[in-house]
Amino acid sequence: MDTQSTSITSLHIRKKLELFFSYWKIILCSLIVTTAVAFVHLRYATYEYSASATVKIKDDDQSKKLQGIPGVTSGGLFTDGTNKIKDELAVMTSRSLVENVVKTLKLNIRCFEQGSVIEKELYKNPPLQLSFFESDSVINKVDTTLFMKIKSPTEFLLFTEGISSFKTRDDSDGKLYAFGDKINTSFGGMVITPNIGKFSPRIGSDLRISINSVRKIVNGYQKSVLVSTGDGSSIVKLELNQSNAEKAIDILNELIKEYNNDVLLDKEEVIKVTSEFINNRLNIVSQELEKEESNVEEMRKSNKLTALDSQADIYLQSERNNEAKIMQTSNDLNLIQFFQEELNAEGKASDILPMNVIQDANVNQVTKTFNDLVAQRDRILKNSSEKNPTVIRLNNEIRAQKANLQNTLSKMKESNQITLNSLNKEDARIRGRLYSAPKRDRQFRKIERQQGIKESLYLYLLEKREESTIRLGMYTPNAKIIDEAYSSYMPVSPNKMFTYLAAILLGLAIPMGFIYVKDLLDTKIYTKDDLADVLDIPYLGDVPRTSKKTTLINKIDYSPKAEAFRIIRSNIDFMLKSNNERSKKIFITSTKAQEGKSHTSTNLASSISFSEKSVLLIEMDIRVPKIMNYLGLENDKKIGLSDYIVDKKIKPQDIVIKHKDNRYLDIIASGTIPPNPSELLMSDRVKALFEYFDDKYDYIVVDTSAVGIVSDTLLIANFADMFVYVVSADNVDKRQLSDVAQTLHEEKRLPKMTILLNGVKKGKNGYGYGYGYGYGNNPNKEKKWYRFS
């Protein structure tokens, strides 16, 4: 079963291949056309080149090293998953950065030189330089095109109105300018100057200057720059396709540079806020310190104080130690108060807080986390809105960190206040012991203590300002360049190999698809295999299609048609054995008219007669008789079959017509066309006719009516020894044939029914109808190279 199935599949594939090969000329023409279209496309297409760069987004931990606070830990830039790296990718292709790139490289102003067929962009060292009188904010919104023709090294024609291309312009439409002249336009004045050296404009060249708004250019590049990274990886790859490879390289390098500048600005914002905070406090503390120092100086001068009494030295030493602690605690309270004011301040330009103001590891860590969240949120807001889910998440985290920071500062303030109260009590106790000291000495100590507090705070703020200055100069770019922008300078689009491959596939697919669909929808009969698919009836043979001029075969004839009828004649002899000296009655019918029934009857009778067998050809299709016309004979007797049936006086031999050129072939014409053919054929005279000629001829060939249209043939079917059912190739529908022919065969209404395929086109059955195996009209004729067997 498997072998049979494989054989059927192989046969089916072979048939499909033979079908396609029969249309090889159409397929070849389609291939030539599609390949030519691909060649023209590649010849005049604008090629694109790819450039790529690779960077690594670094986790900046410099701030942790500068803090000098032990125990501070951080999970790095990407510890909370891939959200942060995705945010960095969004920032890298943000509109603000791409706009900076466009403005820096002046990508909104492009120069093209018109070639013989296509334009070429002159990116590096353009032949002309444009200078505008209006500000960049105005020029960046302009959308216009200037057409120029270089007339000489010092002059050019400028076309500004009514020109859409060089093909539509005439030199008389242009205005002559000299290089360096001021040109007034709708967007303001401008000056055009030529490049020098080998990059100077070529005389006679046509140049097109395209000035586009920055907004449109930015939109295009935002979509063109592709940024990708692996899961959990900090390695980022940037790719860009452009018609100019050097332009793509410059854009990627400039984009990385702008990204690093943007990151540095974000990092410097923290230092800037811290420095402003420290400078403001330094001014206040400096004024207070100057006031205290003036008080000390004034008191020393007025009271002439030089030293304290020796008997109070011990108490004075204790008081100094206690005062140092009071100054430190007061200093911390002041810093906490300053920081709380900064934290709760309204209307600030930035939410970033100063760093390392308070010497507490927990506060500094929370402050750093708060600043990182604010910086990340602000960077996303440059290209998004407050409704962005990431911004909402960051705002929630910022509020949580701010509340945490406020709570920590409040607790620190309470703790320091308790400590200060305790120190003040101790100070009161020591001053009580010094009560006996002169009043002026106690006043001097009070002033001196205030001076020490202010001086300590002043020195601390100076130290922090210096740390901020040092840190500002140590920040490095966030994106470490692994591979600078690079291009192979090989075009990536259009791809020649892919284009030609697509052209070949399309050239095959279009005709083959059309042929396949046509064959799928085609319900006509063409070959023996097509008949076998719908009919289970013995196959007698097939007749090739020939020109209408060669209707009849000749006795000496080696044409494919003559050979076909010889084969059919042999098959009939094989199927109809000896019939006890009775004639072999062969009836010819078909499904409908115009299938070659009469043509087959005539040629079959002629072919048999050429073998010197007596043949009687009866024209029993009395509705539409054609046999006499095929034979080119005239019915001199003026009577025929219908006349014989109606007139009992006419004898069978009276209606027989002898062929003038073939003594073995006799004909009975149809006679007068009657109004009731079916009733006429039911007459007993028909039976008497066959009985009379039954022993007088070797063969009786009867041309009957089309069985699929009228019932005439069925009325006389019982007289036949064999029925030849003619099927016209490319004429009858498979469904109609199955309904009529197969039904008649299964019901056995036509004796010994066989199928003959008529009018088969050459090549349709895969054999080319080489009847005679080379013994045709010209057996030595060589086959042309363009013909398939």
Side-chain angles (χ1 to χ4, degrees):
M1 187 67 181
D2 292 339
T3 304
Q4 183 180 1
S5 177
T6 303
S7 177
I8 293 174
T9 302
S10 300
L11 182 61
H12 179 74
I13 294 175
R14 178 182 175 86
K15 287 175 61 178
K16 290 299 180 184
L17 290 176
E18 289 175 349
L19 173 66
F20 292 136
F21 276 121
S22 65
Y23 292 97
W24 71 273
K25 295 178 182 177
I26 296 177
I27 295 175
L28 180 60
C29 289
S30 176
L31 280 173
I32 294 174
V33 171
T34 54
T35 305
V37 171
F39 174 79
V40 174
H41 169 69
L42 292 173
R43 173 66 178 81
Y44 301 113
T46 300
Y47 286 85
E48 286 192 352
Y49 302 85
S50 178
S52 62
T54 308
V55 298
K56 179 179 181 181
I57 306 299
K58 296 187 296 182
D59 183 6
D60 187 12
D61 58 356
Q62 294 294 331
S63 59
K64 291 181 284 187
K65 295 179 182 179
L66 292 171
Q67 288 170 16
I69 302 173
V72 177
T73 58
S74 176
L77 184 61
F78 310 109
T79 53
D80 61 346
T82 59
N83 287 335
K84 286 188 177 180
I85 187 64
K86 289 181 179 178
D87 293 342
E88 295 301 316
L89 298 185
V91 171
M92 193 170 290
T93 57
S94 63
R95 184 172 187 83
S96 58
L97 293 188
V98 176
E99 184 173 337
N100 290 339
V101 172
V102 171
K103 291 179 179 178
T104 302
L105 298 179
K106 296 183 178 180
L107 300 178
N108 59 319
I109 302 176
R110 295 174 294 169
C111 180
F112 299 87
E113 182 178 14
Q114 180 70 33
S116 57
V117 178
I118 60 175
E119 283 185 333
K120 178 183 178 183
E121 182 179 0
L122 305 175
Y123 172 68
K124 284 288 186 179
N125 300 303
L128 302 175
Q129 296 292 335
L130 276 67
S131 302
F132 302 96
F133 287 88
E134 293 291 340
S135 61
D136 289 342
S137 60
V138 175
I139 302 302
N140 290 340
K141 297 179 181 179
V142 173
D143 275 299
T144 188
T145 302
L146 306 176
F147 294 90
M148 304 172 58
K149 183 178 182 65
I150 307 301
K151 300 295 291 183
S152 70
T154 58
E155 293 180 324
F156 62 92
L157 283 175
L158 180 64
F159 306 85
T160 56
E161 297 181 357
I163 303 298
S164 59
S165 67
F166 284 110
K167 296 180 180 179
T168 62
R169 66 111 172 97
D170 187 84
D171 287 355
S172 60
D173 299 329
K175 187 174 181 180
L176 188 64
Y177 288 95
F179 288 113
D181 289 348
K182 180 180 179 181
I183 302 173
N184 294 317
T185 65
S186 58
F187 50 86
M190 68 173 182
V191 173
I192 300 177
T193 55
N195 207 331
I196 58 174
K198 63 179 181 179
F199 303 111
S200 60
R202 182 171 50 86
I203 297 175
S205 61
D206 292 322
L207 301 177
R208 179 170 69 89
I209 308 297
S210 176
I211 306 175
N212 301 107
S213 67
V214 171
R215 177 179 57 84
K216 291 183 179 180
I217 300 296
V218 170
N219 290 339
Y221 282 117
Q222 268 193 299
K223 298 176 182 178
S224 300
V225 177
L226 302 179
V227 184
S228 60
T229 184
D231 294 337
S233 173
S234 61
I235 303 297
V236 178
K237 185 175 183 180
L238 296 90
E239 295 180 283
L240 176 63
N241 291 347
Q242 286 287 292
S243 58
N244 188 291
E246 293 179 342
K247 185 177 183 180
I249 293 172
D250 290 347
I251 292 173
L252 291 183
N253 285 333
E254 187 65 27
L255 184 61
I256 296 172
K257 180 181 177 182
E258 291 292 336
Y259 170 75
N260 280 330
N261 290 339
D262 183 69
V263 173
L264 288 177
L265 289 175
D266 288 341
K267 293 178 179 179
E268 291 169 0
E269 182 68 22
V270 178
I271 305 300
K272 181 181 178 181
V273 171
T274 303
S275 298
E276 290 178 354
F277 172 80
I278 292 174
N279 288 330
N280 291 335
R281 297 305 170 180
L282 272 174
N283 290 333
I284 297 173
V285 173
S286 176
Q287 294 174 6
E288 293 176 351
L289 181 58
E290 288 180 0
K291 182 179 178 181
E292 295 298 332
E293 288 177 345
S294 297
N295 291 338
V296 171
E297 183 181 359
E298 183 65 27
M299 190 172 183
R300 283 182 181 272
K301 290 180 179 179
S302 61
N303 295 288
K304 300 180 179 180
L305 293 176
T306 58
L308 298 174
D309 293 336
S310 59
Q311 59 184 354
D313 284 347
I314 296 174
Y315 297 109
L316 290 175
Q317 184 64 36
S318 298
E319 186 184 24
R320 288 192 186 97
N321 294 335
N322 195 59
E323 285 179 352
K325 294 179 181 179
I326 291 174
M327 285 190 293
Q328 179 63 42
T329 306
S330 298
N331 186 19
D332 291 342
L333 280 172
N334 285 329
L335 291 175
I336 292 172
Q337 181 65 29
F338 293 160
F339 201 83
Q340 284 181 325
E341 292 175 1
E342 182 70 15
L343 182 62
N344 298 322
E346 298 292 339
K348 294 195 303 178
S350 174
D351 292 333
I352 294 176
L353 297 175
M355 287 289 298
N356 305 321
V357 175
I358 299 175
Q359 291 292 350
D360 184 84
N362 187 33
V363 172
N364 289 329
Q365 177 60 29
V366 174
T367 304
K368 180 184 183 304
T369 304
F370 178 88
N371 287 339
D372 288 345
L373 293 173
V374 170
Q376 186 178 355
R377 181 200 62 185
D378 292 345
R379 294 179 66 194
I380 296 175
L381 283 175
K382 291 179 181 178
N383 305 283
S384 184
S385 65
E386 293 286 351
K387 297 182 180 180
N388 188 315
T390 303
V391 175
I392 295 174
R393 175 180 61 82
L394 291 172
N395 281 332
N396 292 333
E397 293 182 12
I398 290 169
R399 284 192 290 269
Q401 292 294 334
K402 186 174 183 179
N404 185 19
L405 192 57
Q406 288 173 337
N407 186 42
T408 301
L409 291 173
S410 297
K411 290 181 179 180
M412 287 181 63
K413 187 175 181 180
E414 292 176 2
S415 176
N416 284 322
Q417 188 62 50
I418 293 172
T419 302
L420 181 61
N421 293 337
S422 177
L423 292 172
N424 286 332
K425 289 180 181 179
E426 179 66 19
D427 185 64
R429 186 186 66 81
I430 294 173
R431 282 189 284 111
R433 297 289 182 94
L434 292 172
Y435 186 78
S436 59
K439 182 179 180 180
R440 57 189 179 184
D441 289 340
R442 285 188 282 109
Q443 292 176 345
F444 175 76
R445 285 298 177 188
K446 184 178 180 181
I447 296 173
E448 190 179 45
R449 181 173 57 193
Q450 292 298 322
Q451 178 192 9
I453 292 174
K454 300 302 180 181
E455 184 177 3
S456 175
L457 181 58
Y458 183 79
L459 293 175
Y460 176 79
L461 292 175
L462 283 177
E463 180 183 355
K464 289 302 176 182
R465 185 174 67 176
E466 189 65 22
E467 285 184 6
S468 298
T469 304
I470 295 172
R471 188 182 297 112
L472 181 61
M474 294 184 64
Y475 276 126
T476 58
N478 203 41
K480 177 184 177 182
I481 299 177
I482 298 176
D483 290 321
E484 290 188 345
Y486 169 79
S487 175
S488 64
Y489 293 91
M490 296 294 293
V492 295
S493 175
N495 186 299
K496 287 187 177 181
M497 182 177 294
F498 177 80
T499 302
Y500 280 121
L501 179 61
I504 292 173
L505 293 177
L506 192 63
L508 293 173
I510 291 176
M512 292 179 69
F514 175 78
I515 294 168
Y516 178 79
V517 173
K518 178 178 177 293
D519 181 67
L520 195 66
L521 300 177
D522 193 356
T523 59
K524 300 294 182 65
I525 297 294
Y526 295 99
T527 66
K528 175 183 176 181
D529 294 334
D530 295 336
L531 282 174
D533 291 338
V534 296
L535 299 178
D536 186 19
I537 303 174
Y539 186 73
L540 185 63
D542 47 52
V543 178
R545 176 175 297 184
T546 57
S547 64
K548 294 182 180 180
K549 295 180 180 180
T550 57
T551 303
L552 295 179
I553 61 174
N554 299 314
K555 185 174 184 178
I556 302 175
D557 192 343
Y558 298 101
S559 66
K561 179 189 283 190
E563 293 292 344
F565 277 105
R566 291 188 186 104
I567 293 174
I568 294 170
R569 181 186 67 192
S570 300
N571 291 339
I572 291 174
D573 289 338
F574 176 78
M575 297 178 71
L576 296 177
K577 303 297 182 183
S578 175
N579 206 12
N580 298 323
E581 302 301 327
R582 293 175 58 248
S583 62
K584 300 175 182 180
K585 292 178 281 297
I586 304 169
F587 282 36
I588 313 296
T589 188
S590 63
T591 304
K592 61 181 184 178
Q594 304 299 322
E595 289 199 68
K597 174 176 55 62
S598 299
H599 168 269
T600 301
S601 302
T602 306
N603 282 288
L604 179 61
S606 299
S607 179
I608 296 173
S609 67
F610 292 152
S611 62
E612 298 184 356
K613 301 289 185 179
S614 59
V615 181
L616 176 63
L617 177 59
I618 302 177
E619 192 175 28
M620 202 162 276
D621 184 2
I622 57 180
R623 296 173 184 266
V624 187
K626 293 182 181 179
I627 286 181
M628 297 301 289
N629 291 333
Y630 277 124
L631 293 172
L633 300 177
E634 294 289 339
N635 186 3
D636 297 333
K637 295 184 177 183
K638 305 299 181 183
I639 57 175
L641 179 63
S642 59
D643 301 294
Y644 161 76
I645 296 174
V646 174
D647 190 354
K648 296 182 178 180
K649 296 180 181 180
I650 300 176
K651 297 180 180 180
Q653 61 270 24
D654 296 338
I655 60 175
V656 174
I657 301 173
K658 298 290 183 180
H659 195 288
K660 58 182 179 180
D661 299 322
N662 189 347
R663 62 188 183 92
Y664 293 101
L665 178 60
D666 293 340
I667 304 99
I668 295 179
S670 62
T672 305
I673 298 177
N676 54 345
S678 297
E679 290 76 7
L680 200 64
L681 292 176
M682 294 173 63
S683 173
D684 292 336
R685 297 274 289 173
V686 176
K687 180 180 179 182
L689 178 70
F690 283 108
E691 290 178 348
Y692 178 80
F693 291 113
D694 197 19
D695 58 351
K696 293 180 174 57
Y697 292 93
D698 295 321
Y699 292 87
I700 297 177
V701 178
V702 181
D703 178 27
T704 66
S705 302
V707 72
I709 300 177
V710 295
S711 61
D712 299 5
T713 303
L714 299 177
L715 299 175
I716 58 174
N718 58 308
F719 301 118
D721 294 325
M722 170 187 283
F723 258 92
V724 177
Y725 198 100
V726 178
V727 177
S728 176
D730 194 15
N731 188 11
V732 66
D733 191 280
K734 292 180 181 179
R735 295 164 293 183
Q736 183 183 13
L737 189 63
S738 177
D739 292 340
V740 178
Q742 187 64 35
T743 301
L744 291 174
H745 176 69
E746 291 175 354
E747 295 177 356
K748 298 183 179 180
R749 301 184 67 180
L750 300 180
K752 281 193 176 183
M753 182 177 175
T754 61
I755 295 294
L756 183 145
L757 187 59
N758 180 49
V760 179
K761 293 181 181 179
K762 183 177 181 180
K764 275 290 181 183
N765 62 353
Y767 298 99
Y769 291 100
Y771 293 104
Y773 302 96
Y775 300 101
N777 293 333
N778 191 356
N780 297 321
K781 184 178 181 180
E782 294 184 0
K783 181 168 70 93
K784 299 293 185 181
W785 68 270
Y786 51 83
R787 295 184 181 276
F788 284 109
S789 298

